[in-house]
């Protein structure tokens, strides 16, 4: 199975005042179980200076032709409450010394803080062979993209909606997806939105592949729905996909 990591990357700006619930990005991945089924995972990242996000079951949609032959065209992912609770209710703010002032927190709504929400599915079968362009596995956010990003044009509608994407390709020589034989790459590091003053810092995505396949990185475009024909969000003057 081909390996692809889509970095849905946004250069975050924290100079403005955010006035609504804002989803910044996220990740979709899957694990191949010994039973031949898949478990899907999703992480969603929210700007803590917006209003609270509703943490509930979400739906991953599958698109592509042909679709899985066992009739599965969507996957329910439910809140992974154990992981959420064990990560301080998803607060990704780094632990800094109090040398330069009080610690920032997500609960305090401090500018630049980010909250992570984790999801997991039940085991699921995906029968058939993915098409040449792969099965697109997507999630559409509520109308919540930040409107004060300095590098992206976040209006008019529908670019307020954020589209998370992952692609599952067929295996060598059209190997079927059922039983599964390969897991997707996974990001093991949190996105860096704040760093501690006075600390040296190097960012590493810490992406791994359970089968030790090689990985290739590139910056991905930011997209809005629809999933079958994603709308690329345009950049403001002075910015582009690689700058």
């Amino acid at each position: 199975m081909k390996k692809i990591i889509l970095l849905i990357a946004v250069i975050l700006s924290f100079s403005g005042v955010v006035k609504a619930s804002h989803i910044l990005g996220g990740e979709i991945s899957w694990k191949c179980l010994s039973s031949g089924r898949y478990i899907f995972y999703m992480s969603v990242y929210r700007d803590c200076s917006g209003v609270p996000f509703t943490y509930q079951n979400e739906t991953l949609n599958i698109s592509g032709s042909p679709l899985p032959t066992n009739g599965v065209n969507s996957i329910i992912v439910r809140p992974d409450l154990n992981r959420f609770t064990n990560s301080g209710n998803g607060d990704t703010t780094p632990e800094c010394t109090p040398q330069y002032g009080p610690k920032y927190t997500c609960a305090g709504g401090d500018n630049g803080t980010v909250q992570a929400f984790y999801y997991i599915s039940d085991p699921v079968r995906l029968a058939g062979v993915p098409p040449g362009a792969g099965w697109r596995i997507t999630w559409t956010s509520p109308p919540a993209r930040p409107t004060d990003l300095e590098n992206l044009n976040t209006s008019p509608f529908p670019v307020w909606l954020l589209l998370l994407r992952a692609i599952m390709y067929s295996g060598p020589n059209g190997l079927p997806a059922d039983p599964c034989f390969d897991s997707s790459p996974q990001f093991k590091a949190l996105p860096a939105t704040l760093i501690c003053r006075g600390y040296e810092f190097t960012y590493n995505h810490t992406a791994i592949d359970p089968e030790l396949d090689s990985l290739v990185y590139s910056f991905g475009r930011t997209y809005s729905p629809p999933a079958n024909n994603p709308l690329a969000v345009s950049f403001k003057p002075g910015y582009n996909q690689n700058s």
Side-chain angles (χ1 to χ4, degrees), residues 49-68:
S49 59
V51 300
F53 176 68
T54 303
Y55 197 19
Q56 61 187 13
N57 289 359
E58 299 290 346
T59 301
L60 304 180
N61 292 302
I62 303 175
S63 60
S65 182
L67 288 167

Side-chain angles (χ1 to χ4, degrees), residues 5 14 31 73 108 165 200 221 231:
I5 291 182
F14 304 119
K31 180 180 179 180
N73 58 17
R165 306 176 303 140
E200 291 187 1
R221 287 299 301 269
L231 172 66

